[in-house]
Amino acid sequence: MVERDEAAWLAWRAAGITATDVARAVSGRYGGAYAVVTEKLGLIEREPPNERMTRGHRWQQPIADAVHALTGLHVVGEEAWCSHSVDTWARATVDGLLADRPEATPDDLLGVLEVKTRGLDARAAWDYWSAQVQWQLYVTGLDRAVVADAVIDDDNDRLVSLRLVEIEAEPDVADDLHDRALMLRQHIEEGTLPAPDTPAALDYVKTVNLDVADDAEVVDLEPIADDVRRFAEIKAAVKAVTEERDELEARIRDAVGLATVGVVDGIRVSISRPSLALTREAEETLLGDFPHLGRLVLDRDRAKAEVPDLYNSLRRPVGARRLTIKETP
């Protein structure tokens, strides 16, 4: 596994449109195009490494070794930073490049290797993977790739299955991806945001609009009037369905009573045992007997009363602003 200068790599990625950027924009995953642009413009922080990313990094070399054993091809250029020969802003970091010899020159390269790991219950994300790999092929100029789809049992970090899928470069798809990348690049250069076009963008929209402009005027929503009216319809429908669901749940819980399982033809209903937690009264009992178990916490009411100016100056916006729909006469 080739180690990289993380800061330099992030700066290089930020200055271009990467395979990950294009895949997010095309698939709508991870916030879609809206999230890509907001991250590039520094409006939101880049997602920190999570367990999924750590797992992929940890398994990348063993899977590359398995690809060599299964295909006879050598994996070279691990973690290579690739830029298109003309559109140098078009970039991709490849997991590896495939060659028929270990000491390969650029002329010896046969394709791209993309390593994907997923948990036992996770589906293969081919809508995302395909776009990512097609962009890698466009950037590198190679005409085929191998996707190593590895299923990992996260409980014991064990490889359960490995499937190798070969993908050929599709020029028509590359043209479409190039258009999408140009759209992202234009937004970034102009400092504008694309319209949210995926449910996964909602949290990013909330974060970008977390604060309030004190001098803001009432916004004319006529350009998206259909969206507003449809949202109002859906909100009312969700309320009606939620009320019906809750009434049905009440009947089912009443029928099961103090038991934990109920059955009807083709359906099994389970109600868990109650979770055990310390009540406030129990906490007070423990603190009375063992005061050293307590800790210092802020008395908010007293702070507001005694140092109101400081208290208010330290308040910051948190969570999403509430959206309310109400019909006007």
Side-chain angles (χ1 to χ4, degrees):
M1 177 73 66
V2 176
E3 295 300 326
R4 64 189 177 213
D5 182 331
E6 193 73 7
W9 177 68
L10 291 175
W12 176 81
R13 284 171 54 86
I17 303 299
T18 69
T20 299
D21 298 333
V22 171
R24 291 172 72 179
V26 170
S27 68
R29 293 175 182 263
Y30 312 115
Y34 185 91
V36 171
V37 176
T38 55
E39 288 181 2
K40 297 281 189 182
L41 293 177
L43 300 176
I44 57 176
E45 294 183 2
R46 179 174 174 269
E47 181 184 359
N50 54 34
E51 178 52 37
R52 172 178 53 83
M53 300 174 188
T54 302
R55 179 187 62 206
H57 189 75
R58 183 172 63 250
W59 275 94
Q60 186 171 315
Q61 188 60 58
I63 292 172
D65 293 341
V67 170
H68 171 60
L70 292 170
T71 67
L73 296 174
H74 295 271
V75 180
V76 300
E78 296 94 330
E79 298 291 328
W81 305 4
C82 304
S83 298
H84 190 270
S85 58
V86 177
D87 295 328
T88 56
W89 53 266
R91 301 175 179 183
T93 305
V94 297
D95 291 335
L97 298 163
L98 300 171
D100 57 7
R101 64 189 69 187
E103 301 298 331
T105 67
D107 292 337
D108 298 322
L109 299 178
L110 302 175
V112 169
L113 172 66
E114 178 64 23
V115 175
K116 294 297 184 185
T117 65
R118 55 190 173 99
L120 291 174
D121 298 326
R123 292 187 175 184
W126 283 109
D127 57 337
Y128 182 94
W129 298 354
S130 296
Q132 186 179 25
V133 168
Q134 287 293 337
W135 187 253
Q136 291 172 345
L137 294 177
Y138 168 72
V139 168
T140 60
L142 297 170
D143 59 9
R144 68 165 174 150
V146 171
V147 177
D149 175 17
V151 177
I152 308 294
D153 184 344
D154 289 323
D155 289 339
N156 53 28
D157 200 31
R158 180 176 61 87
L159 178 66
V160 175
S161 67
L162 176 63
R163 185 168 70 115
L164 304 184
V165 179
E166 186 168 330
I167 294 179
E168 295 183 354
E170 299 181 50
D172 291 343
V173 173
D175 288 342
D176 291 340
L177 297 181
H178 188 265
D179 290 342
R180 188 68 64 96
L182 285 175
M183 177 273 291
L184 295 174
R185 191 161 180 255
Q186 181 176 356
H187 277 294
I188 294 165
E189 290 177 345
E190 296 177 357
T192 58
L193 297 177
D197 60 356
T198 171
L202 178 58
D203 286 342
Y204 292 89
V205 173
K206 290 179 179 179
T207 300
V208 168
N209 298 286
L210 183 61
D211 213 339
V212 174
D214 293 333
D215 57 350
E217 299 180 355
V218 174
V219 177
D220 181 7
L221 296 178
E222 189 59 36
I224 59 165
D226 289 343
D227 290 344
V228 175
R229 294 189 179 99
R230 180 58 179 155
F231 181 81
E233 292 172 357
I234 291 174
K235 188 176 179 66
V238 168
K239 181 177 183 296
V241 170
T242 300
E243 290 175 349
E244 180 182 2
R245 180 203 64 188
D246 290 349
E247 182 178 345
L248 293 173
E249 181 175 342
R251 294 180 189 174
I252 294 169
R253 285 180 175 273
D254 179 64
V256 175
L258 299 180
T260 59
V261 177
V263 294
V264 67
D265 187 27
I267 300 177
R268 175 187 174 92
V269 176
S270 298
I271 300 179
S272 67
R273 295 182 181 277
S275 300
L276 299 179
L278 281 177
T279 64
R280 180 179 294 275
E281 291 76 12
E283 287 185 359
E284 291 176 353
T285 298
L286 277 172
L287 287 173
D289 294 338
F290 305 97
H292 67 281
L293 297 178
R295 61 183 177 181
L296 183 66
V297 296
L298 178 67
D299 185 332
R300 293 178 178 240
D301 292 335
R302 186 173 178 180
K304 283 189 283 187
E306 296 186 8
V307 286
D309 292 341
L310 177 59
Y311 181 89
N312 289 325
S313 70
L314 293 174
R315 296 169 68 194
R316 299 291 183 271
V318 295
R321 293 156 54 197
R322 291 186 298 275
L323 186 156
T324 303
I325 291 285
K326 184 171 69 173
E327 291 188 9
T328 56

